[in-house]
Every structure is written in C-alpha cells, then in structure tokens.
Amino acid sequence: MPSFAYKGRNAGGQLVEGVLEGATPGTVAELLLGRGVVPVEIRETRKAAIASPGAGITLFKPKVGHIDLLLFSRQMHTLLKAGVPIMRALMGLQESAINPAMKSVIQDVREGLEAGRELSVALARHPRVFTPFYISMIRVGESTGLLDEIFLRLFEHLEFERYMREQVKSALRYPMFVVIAMAIAIVVINIFVIPAFARVFQGFGAELPLMTRILIGFSDFMVAWWPLMLLAVVGAVVAFRAWVATVPGRYQWEAITLRLPIAGKIVSKAALARFARSFALGTRSGVPVMLALSNSAQTVDNAFIARRIEAMRENVERGESVLRAAISSGIFTPVVLQMVAVGEESGALDDMMEEIGQMYQQEVEYELKTLGQQIEPILIVSLGVLVLILALGVFLPMWDLGKVAMGRK
C-alpha cells in the first residue's frame, strides 16, 4: 500500500506533518479529517524520503529494548482498561515514548490500524520487537474481546522473563569475574614475577628442582610468545562467537551449558520456569495446546530445551498426551511429571503449569542465594593449587640454596 506525506492543521490551528498509508490521497484525507486534522497538502512519497539528511548514516541506531516492550504492555493495559480508544492510546504512547525506535514502531502500528489492519497484523510487521508468542496472545485478545487483560498478562510474563534473565546473569557474573581475575594473575606472575626469580636463581648456578624448571620454562615461553598467545586467544574468542552464531553451534553450546556443574542447574531451571509460565499463560488465554507449546519454545532462551519442547509439540500432534510427550522429552523431573499428570486428568493443566513455573522460580532463587556457598570450595581449592605450585616452584629452590650456603660456611 502506498505511503502519503501530509501537512495539515489541527483543531488548534497548528501545523502537523506525518506519513500515512492509504489506497488513494482521498482515503488519507478521510483519515485525517477523522482525526480532526484539516489536510493542506497530501503527496505520495516513501518514508525514507522525509527522513532527516543524517538519519541514514546513524552509527548507533537505537533499538527497542525489553524495558520498552514492558512499559508498552503495561501502559496499553491501563489505557484500554480505562476505556481509552486504541487509536488514541497508541497516539498518546507515541508522543510520550522516549526511545525513538519505539516511537517509530508505535507510529507504524497506529498507521497500520488506520489502514484497516488488525492489531496483531500491525504488530507482526515488527518481528524483532514482538515475538510470535506476543502476537499470538494479542490475536487471542482480539478474538475474545479481552485485549486489556491480555496486555496485563503479557506485562506480567515479560516482567517474569526480565527478572529471571537478570537473576541468571547475576549468578554467572561472580564466577566469571573470579576466573578472569585468576587468569590475569597467572599472566602477571609468569611475565613479571617468575623472570625476576629466574635471574636470581641463575646467579647461584645450582641445579633447580623440577617444579621450578617447569615454571621458568613456561614463563620463558609466555615472555617470548605472548603476542602470538594473545592473538590466539582473540582468534579463539572470534571463532567461538562465530560458531555460537550458527544454529548447530548454538544448539551444542547451550546443551553444554546445561551440564556445567553449578551454573547448568540454574540455567536449566530458569528456562523451564519461563516455559511453564508462558505455556500456562497461553492455554489459560485460549491458545490451543500445540500452538502454546510452539510459542513457549521461543521464550525459553535455550536452543537445546527449545528443540525438546518442539519435539513435545510433534508428539502431541501425533495424538500423544502432554504427559507422554513430557516424559519423552527427558527435561522434566518426576515431581513435575506427576503434576502434569494430575493437571491433565483434572482438566486444570494451565494451573498446574503455573505452579510448576513458580516451583522452578523458587528453586532458581534458592540456587542463587546459595551460589556463593557452592562456588566457595571450588575457588578455595583452585587458589590453593595455584599457591602450592608457586610455593614449590619459587621457595623450594631458595630453601635448597640457603642450605647450600650454610653448608659452605
């Protein structure tokens, strides 16, 4: 559908400009008059043609973040519940939006509604902002007339996702910081500390212990080849990111993260909590089970678990029950499977899945609270081994050299 740039006067006599989609200039004029804007000029154009001269060369183009979508859902619920027409609600959100990217998205959605599209269709024009799960829920709200309630449920779901994601990141931040600090300490010791001791030991001309010779040899290797080692580390990071960017690479890496000693449990339970909450939200809102499974698979933020949930959907399509499909997926505990069985038998599967999501959330919170206690023994052992190696390599030869000097006296 063509786009038309327009200029007009509002009820206050102020000049307003913008772009609307319409079949003909007359259609655009009718839309403007319906808004209370008297058109002055309407001409067919492309949206890019009215952009500012520097808009196409922006180096850091703003993006719609999770918090923007969170606020949009909450504000839409509040406005629709208060009886504000959806067009006026979108116009108000567009004017109050701080993020230019979100402002542009809302404007396009509003223009899509003015062109006769449904809200779900207008939102689907922005797949990077609105997920298929979000679109599916809006479609259910349109068909049931409970759009304000759907926006509230989406807000709660997005808030839950944000909380879980931040909790998982905070859980992984501390061990990663400690590992990086230990790696930096090893590099500094091998490049600056051990060479100084090596020069002292060489002055005595005595035979050094095996551990000392290993440390000095490794230090000499790092001093001589550190540029290539740094290049290799950078190359490994780039290669790893390129590998994870591929579909098979991401699947394999996220399957590995689930088997990590401590972080794996947290990542797995957080992903299953998101799945259970989104599945319960979908089925409770009237989404068919197979579509709810497919949509929920896109919310877990883990390719391995998402593929297992897609396999559940395929089994349900073949006529299996949700319980049998959950058993074959191999990602749920016996307690969860028992709750699924009770929910399926009683016809309250959505309530049981909501309880499963809450249970996983509580377990994640407990794991995060006890994370320091779980990591502390590993860090103590690692630091102890590092100190022991340094002590054997540095202080043993000094002890031997001291005894030799005492013997000469």
Side-chain angles (χ1 to χ4, degrees), residues 271-312:
L272 292 176
R274 286 194 293 268
F275 158 71
R277 290 285 295 268
S278 60
F279 181 79
L281 177 59
T283 53
R284 185 174 297 168
S285 302
V287 178
V289 173
M290 289 180 292
L291 182 58
L293 285 171
S294 181
N295 291 337
S296 301
Q298 302 177 32
T299 66
V300 297
D301 199 22
N302 186 283
F304 179 82
I305 295 180
R307 187 172 298 183
R308 293 299 179 93
I309 297 173
E310 287 290 347
M312 286 180 57

Side-chain angles (χ1 to χ4, degrees), residues 38-115:
V38 178
V40 175
E41 178 184 357
I42 299 176
R43 55 187 176 83
E44 185 174 357
T45 183
R46 292 181 299 176
K47 292 183 180 180
I50 64 170
S52 60
I57 56 174
T58 303
L59 296 179
F60 301 100
K61 186 178 180 181
K63 297 181 179 180
V64 178
H66 190 86
I67 188 67
D68 296 316
L69 190 58
L70 195 69
L71 293 175
F72 172 78
S73 303
R74 181 64 182 184
Q75 292 168 347
M76 284 296 294
H77 161 71
T78 304
L79 293 171
L80 294 179
K81 186 177 181 180
V84 178
I86 188 170
M87 293 298 298
R88 189 184 303 171
L90 289 172
M91 185 180 300
L93 293 182
Q94 178 186 344
E95 294 175 354
S96 62
I98 300 176
N99 189 342
M102 191 64 193
K103 186 187 294 289
S104 176
V105 169
I106 297 176
Q107 178 181 354
D108 185 78
V109 171
R110 184 170 56 82
E111 292 173 358
L113 292 180
E114 291 175 345

Side-chain angles (χ1 to χ4, degrees), residues 51-294:
S52 60
I57 56 174
T58 303
L59 296 179
F60 301 100
K61 186 178 180 181
K63 297 181 179 180
V64 178
H66 190 86
I67 188 67
D68 296 316
L69 190 58
L70 195 69
L71 293 175
F72 172 78
S73 303
R74 181 64 182 184
Q75 292 168 347
M76 284 296 294
H77 161 71
T78 304
L79 293 171
L80 294 179
K81 186 177 181 180
V84 178
I86 188 170
M87 293 298 298
R88 189 184 303 171
L90 289 172
M91 185 180 300
L93 293 182
Q94 178 186 344
E95 294 175 354
S96 62
I98 300 176
N99 189 342
M102 191 64 193
K103 186 187 294 289
S104 176
V105 169
I106 297 176
Q107 178 181 354
D108 185 78
V109 171
R110 184 170 56 82
E111 292 173 358
L113 292 180
E114 291 175 345
R117 298 189 182 96
E118 296 180 346
L119 178 60
S120 57
V121 177
L123 296 178
R125 289 163 55 90
H126 303 275
R128 294 186 178 182
V129 178
F130 303 100
T131 63
F133 176 78
Y134 198 102
I135 302 301
S136 177
M137 292 297 297
I138 294 298
R139 190 175 294 115
V140 170
E142 290 174 330
S143 61
T144 59
L146 300 174
L147 197 56
D148 58 336
E149 183 67 21
I150 291 297
F151 273 114
L152 177 61
R153 294 182 182 180
L154 285 171
F155 167 77
E156 294 173 348
H157 176 72
L158 292 171
E159 179 67 19
F160 171 74
E161 274 193 335
R162 177 171 171 263
Y163 170 79
M164 295 300 296
R165 190 176 292 111
E166 290 180 353
Q167 292 296 313
V168 171
K169 287 182 178 179
S170 65
L172 300 180
R173 189 178 297 121
Y174 175 68
M176 290 299 296
F177 173 78
V178 173
V179 170
I180 292 173
M182 290 179 61
I184 294 175
I186 292 174
V187 171
V188 171
I189 289 173
N190 280 280
I191 292 181
F192 298 103
V193 179
I194 293 181
F197 280 99
R199 289 192 293 270
V200 174
F201 296 152
Q202 290 174 358
F204 287 96
E207 184 178 359
L208 300 175
L210 176 62
M211 182 60 68
T212 304
R213 295 198 300 271
I214 293 175
L215 284 178
I216 293 176
F218 184 70
S219 175
D220 292 339
F221 176 79
M222 286 194 65
V223 171
W225 298 98
W226 70 266
L228 290 180
M229 293 180 66
L230 180 61
L231 185 62
V233 170
V234 173
V237 171
V238 173
F240 172 77
R241 293 175 64 89
W243 174 63
V244 173
T246 63
V247 175
R250 182 186 177 190
Y251 176 83
Q252 295 173 13
W253 168 245
E254 293 186 347
I256 293 173
T257 58
L258 298 177
R259 295 194 292 267
L260 295 177
I262 296 176
K265 295 186 297 182
I266 299 175
V267 174
S268 175
K269 291 178 180 179
L272 292 176
R274 286 194 293 268
F275 158 71
R277 290 285 295 268
S278 60
F279 181 79
L281 177 59
T283 53
R284 185 174 297 168
S285 302
V287 178
V289 173
M290 289 180 292
L291 182 58
L293 285 171
S294 181

Side-chain angles (χ1 to χ4, degrees), residues 269-385:
K269 291 178 180 179
L272 292 176
R274 286 194 293 268
F275 158 71
R277 290 285 295 268
S278 60
F279 181 79
L281 177 59
T283 53
R284 185 174 297 168
S285 302
V287 178
V289 173
M290 289 180 292
L291 182 58
L293 285 171
S294 181
N295 291 337
S296 301
Q298 302 177 32
T299 66
V300 297
D301 199 22
N302 186 283
F304 179 82
I305 295 180
R307 187 172 298 183
R308 293 299 179 93
I309 297 173
E310 287 290 347
M312 286 180 57
R313 179 187 60 79
E314 294 173 0
N315 291 336
V316 172
E317 285 180 343
R318 287 196 291 266
E320 293 186 3
S321 64
V322 176
L323 175 61
R324 297 287 299 177
I327 294 174
S328 62
S329 68
I331 58 178
F332 298 102
T333 62
V335 175
V336 173
L337 294 175
Q338 184 177 1
M339 295 176 67
V340 172
V342 172
E344 202 165 20
E345 291 176 3
S346 62
L349 184 59
D350 54 345
D351 294 334
M352 280 298 173
M353 293 301 291
E354 181 69 26
E355 292 186 12
I356 291 172
Q358 294 177 0
M359 182 185 69
Y360 274 127
Q361 181 179 356
Q362 293 173 358
E363 291 183 5
V364 170
E365 293 176 354
Y366 175 78
E367 294 286 348
L368 294 174
K369 290 179 181 178
T370 60
L371 181 63
Q373 302 174 3
Q374 299 179 55
I375 293 179
E376 187 174 338
I378 300 176
L379 298 180
I380 291 176
V381 171
S382 301
L383 291 173
V385 171

